[in-house]
Amino acid sequence: MDDVYLGTQAAQAAPIFDVERVEVLKGPQGTLYGRNTTAGVVNVISARPTEEFEGRASAQAGSFGQQIYEVALSGPLASWARGRLSLRSNRDDGWQRSLPTGINGFGQTDIVSGRAQLEFDTSEASTLLLRGDYARSDGTSVLYPLTGLLQADLVTYCTPEGAAANLCFNSAGEQGIRDPRVGLSDVPSLRNEFEFRLGSATDTHDFGGATLTSITSVQSVDKLFEEDADAAAIALGFTVYTLSAEQFTQEVRLAGGDEIGVAWILGAYYFDENRSSSVAAPPFFATLADQESSSWAVFGRADYHLTPSVTATAGIRYTNDEKDISVITPGFMSEQRRSLEESSVTGTLGLSWEPSSDVLWYANVSTGYKAGGFNANFVFDPDTIGPVDAETITAYELGLRSAFWDGRIVINGAVFAYDYRDIKAVALDSTSVVSITRLISLGDADVIGFDGEVSFIPVDSARISIGIGLLDTELQSTTFQSTPFPPGLVQLDGNPLPMASDVSLNALAEYTFSLGGAGSLTAQVDGNWRSEFSFSATGSREATERSDGYGLVNARLRWRSADERYSLEGFVENLDDERYFTYNANIISDNAAGARPSRRS
């Protein structure tokens, strides 16, 4: 967010609003952009303070009592200073009901957030931007749908297909539920609360031939999350998670060069985080953990123009990571301490050819690295704490970006291959009476794929876009993972990666009708479809942990005034009320639990 790395998943739950743009880079980022990653980068750039006064406000009402309000004010405070204030409120009544108790309000959203920015011209060549972000949530967690795994005699296992069709029961005689808006939990309430604070200072100085940028940030997150993990009416799966994390980052970049010679960037990065967490199944047991993490890196990259149309790129980064953890499960395991220190050299090599201003061919090889870590979930065995080794990836990509007919036709595409090593995952171990999680290495994986999109503007009032993704993934693993249904061990070798559909499609079509002095009316239909996939590395062989292919269709109608100062929209998401799992896992020997989204409009 605004070039500041968000180090916890809890921080990533902070609302995104008053945004100027969102930058998305695919593939491993082993050279620039904060911390290393084996995946891509999503960088949310907030709208900045403006030289002239401006403001915007919006209100949205939707299903389940949804009310969303946003307001932003921006403008000059002096000839050398500017400010911007953004506020957002998002709440609803919840969309789920407990069948045993009749209590409504599960899955409730109640988030308030704000951002204040001050920008100063500290000299003719220097600018200082101060940002402060705050968000607070007082919502409730969702109820998980139950998938029974036993036949009506409550002893014999169902077939995986019968369980996936919700024709089976758990040991208490409760049948699986297909309706995502109800659940079986008898817990009166499940809290889902967090508080997020982020402060940053971005100082930029232009030396003429080079620009120095310093980004300093402090961040804190507090989270409380409750769930009924087994999805059953008997609340044996009631679990409470807490997290308190504080983070400091510092990044310094010096960039220079030009578009006809050499463009270059040099930098250094530092990250420090302290977090305390707990996971409890009251009143039986709890695991408490304190972790300290620090990382530093130096990096550089250069783009050298071999000819006016051919550019060579080279980048390199050295990263060092240190982590320490203290874990205790009172009554079951005494305090355990673990440490790790790792370092890695990653980078990129690339070549691009631009035969015309409308066509760009490129090829690159890049590497990525993600430091290892520890298991801080339920821990009863010191051997399950870890650490696990770092993930590494080498990516090969060949792509095309092009535009024709004055930009009315855009064709982009890329083929890629990944050599993915020491993939880490959280696995559920159900061999004991209590299901526990373990941080394990799945092994290696080979990944090949294609990603393409076509956008077409046949006339000024119409736009059509189509995207396709093709993916083939295969684990190369010696690991056997325990599973309660069917009971035993499952070999991971040859399985696809979790959440990896072979085919994914998306499409959008919109048309704008002119209303003359009354403005314009835009009708839009969009949708996406993905083929079947597994929720876990074992799911390809278990129907209860695999999702069939499904598609979603959305529709939107938007009126905009002639001066574009006012707009009014009506929309429906998931138009045909498609029901699908976003996650499902075999929790214990008699049932699986997962998550389904609601339909909102």
Side-chain angles (χ1 to χ4, degrees):
M1 181 178 289
D2 296 317
D3 287 328
V4 175
Y5 171 72
L6 303 183
T8 67
Q9 287 186 328
Q12 296 167 21
I16 297 175
F17 64 103
D18 195 25
V19 171
E20 176 187 299
R21 69 185 187 277
V22 178
E23 301 172 341
V24 180
L25 297 177
K26 302 176 183 178
Q29 304 300 315
T31 308
L32 309 177
Y33 298 100
R35 294 197 74 182
N36 279 62
T37 171
T38 50
V41 172
V42 178
N43 191 14
V44 179
I45 307 298
S46 305
R48 294 181 63 153
T50 54
E51 297 281 356
E52 298 181 358
F53 178 79
E54 67 175 37
R56 59 178 297 271
S58 67
Q60 176 179 316
S63 301
F64 309 104
Q66 183 189 69
Q67 299 179 47
I68 302 177
Y69 302 100
E70 289 189 27
V71 62
L73 296 173
S74 179
L77 303 176
S79 61
W80 46 272
R82 298 158 295 280
R84 188 179 189 96
L85 179 65
S86 313
L87 302 172
R88 188 176 195 265
S89 171
N90 179 5
R91 73 167 312 279
D92 57 47
D93 299 329
W95 55 277
Q96 282 185 315
R97 175 173 58 91
S98 168
L99 285 178
T101 65
I103 296 176
N104 293 298
F106 292 92
Q108 180 189 26
T109 303
D110 188 358
I111 303 176
V112 294
S113 52
R115 178 183 305 115
Q117 301 180 75
L118 292 173
E119 188 175 45
F120 305 97
D121 297 326
T122 53
S123 71
E124 291 185 358
S126 301
T127 302
L128 176 63
L129 178 61
L130 304 178
R131 288 189 182 94
D133 283 84
Y134 177 82
R136 180 180 177 87
S137 171
D138 293 302
T140 60
S141 305
V142 299
L143 299 177
Y144 301 145
L146 173 74
T147 300
L149 303 180
L150 302 177
Q151 295 184 20
D153 61 9
L154 306 186
V155 176
T156 309
Y157 278 111
C158 280
T159 64
E161 292 73 21
N166 284 299
L167 302 177
C168 306
F169 306 83
N170 66 6
S171 56
E174 299 166 337
Q175 187 172 3
I177 295 178
R178 300 192 62 84
D179 188 349
R181 299 181 187 175
V182 297
L184 294 177
S185 175
D186 60 0
V187 178
S189 178
L190 293 171
R191 294 175 292 175
N192 184 5
E193 304 170 356
F194 72 84
E195 191 169 17
F196 168 75
R197 295 163 291 270
L198 171 63
S200 67
T202 302
D203 193 4
T204 305
H205 183 82
D206 187 353
F207 291 101
T211 300
L212 179 66
T213 302
S214 170
I215 305 170
T216 308
S217 77
V218 292
Q219 183 184 142
S220 66
V221 181
D222 295 293
K223 184 172 179 65
L224 169 65
F225 176 74
E226 298 176 338
E227 67 174 0
D228 190 353
D230 63 2
I234 301 175
L236 294 177
F238 180 64
T239 310
V240 182
Y241 301 86
T242 67
L243 170 71
S244 181
E246 296 181 348
Q247 171 187 309
F248 170 81
T249 63
Q250 174 66 57
E251 185 164 348
V252 179
R253 302 192 296 253
L254 182 66
D258 53 53
E259 296 182 356
I260 60 175
V262 180
W264 53 269
I265 183 170
L266 298 172
Y269 179 79
Y270 178 74
F271 168 89
D272 183 80
E273 182 192 64
N274 293 280
R275 66 168 68 181
S276 297
S277 63
S278 69
V279 54
F284 306 109
F285 42 78
T287 295
L288 314 176
D290 291 302
Q291 298 187 64
E292 297 181 9
S293 302
S294 64
S295 177
W296 63 270
V298 290
F299 54 84
R301 172 177 164 141
D303 296 321
Y304 178 63
H305 297 272
L306 301 173
T307 71
S309 61
V310 179
T311 302
T313 299
I316 191 169
R317 179 184 183 114
Y318 174 82
T319 305
N320 178 270
D321 286 283
E322 294 185 28
K323 297 185 178 183
D324 299 283
I325 191 171
S326 169
V327 187
I328 183 172
T329 304
F332 294 85
M333 186 186 73
S334 60
E335 183 181 17
Q336 304 289 318
R337 295 182 179 272
R338 301 286 188 275
S339 299
L340 71 83
E341 182 175 2
E342 296 172 326
S343 60
S344 179
V345 176
T346 54
T348 185
L349 291 173
L351 193 66
S352 64
W353 175 45
E354 195 171 0
S356 70
S357 59
D358 295 329
V359 177
L360 172 69
W361 290 93
Y362 65 92
N364 60 54
V365 180
S366 57
T367 57
Y369 149 85
K370 183 170 71 173
F374 306 98
N375 178 24
N377 211 305
F378 285 123
V379 180
F380 302 95
D381 181 354
D383 291 338
T384 64
I385 297 173
V388 294
D389 295 331
E391 288 183 355
T392 61
I393 189 171
T394 302
Y396 308 87
E397 184 177 2
L398 175 65
L400 166 69
R401 298 185 182 276
S402 61
F404 307 97
W405 197 18
D406 294 330
R408 289 180 177 270
I409 299 177
V410 174
I411 301 175
N412 297 327
V415 292
F416 55 88
Y418 294 163
D419 183 11
Y420 203 176
R421 300 292 175 182
D422 290 321
I423 302 170
K424 303 304 176 295
V426 176
L428 187 67
D429 188 343
S430 304
T431 55
S432 60
V433 176
V434 179
S435 295
I436 59 174
T437 56
R438 298 178 185 270
L439 188 61
I440 66 170
S441 173
L442 296 180
D444 305 331
D446 295 324
V447 180
I448 59 173
F450 170 78
D451 184 26
E453 61 176 347
V454 176
S455 179
F456 178 43
I457 304 176
V459 294
D460 291 341
S461 56
R463 179 167 65 101
I464 300 170
S465 66
I466 300 173
I468 183 172
L470 305 176
L471 198 61
D472 181 74
T473 68
E474 183 176 348
L475 280 167
Q476 311 291 335
S477 177
T478 59
T479 299
F480 285 78
Q481 176 60 29
S482 65
T483 172
F485 179 75
L489 296 175
V490 175
Q491 184 176 358
L492 302 186
D493 186 57
N495 282 6
L497 287 173
M499 310 300 291
S501 295
D502 291 342
V503 181
S504 58
L505 302 170
N506 65 80
L508 178 147
E510 69 173 28
Y511 190 89
T512 300
F513 303 87
S514 174
L515 303 179
S520 63
L521 190 66
T522 300
Q524 174 183 308
V525 177
D526 64 88
N528 60 79
W529 178 87
R530 62 185 302 183
S531 61
E532 68 175 10
F533 61 92
S534 303
F535 296 112
S536 70
T538 62
S540 63
R541 305 187 181 184
E542 300 179 36
T544 51
E545 292 190 340
R546 184 176 65 241
S547 172
D548 294 330
Y550 64 87
L552 304 176
V553 179
N554 311 307
R556 184 179 299 265
L557 190 64
R558 177 175 63 251
W559 171 83
R560 182 171 290 168
S561 64
D563 59 7
E564 297 189 349
R565 294 182 62 189
Y566 306 97
S567 65
L568 181 66
E569 297 186 16
F571 61 90
V572 178
E573 298 176 343
N574 193 2
L575 187 63
D576 58 348
D577 201 17
E578 176 76 18
R579 299 185 181 187
Y580 59 98
F581 281 107
T582 57
Y583 179 74
N584 206 44
N586 296 333
I587 302 298
I588 49 181
S589 59
D590 66 340
N591 73 269
R596 292 180 184 265
S598 68
R599 171 180 169 179
R600 290 185 178 271
S601 61

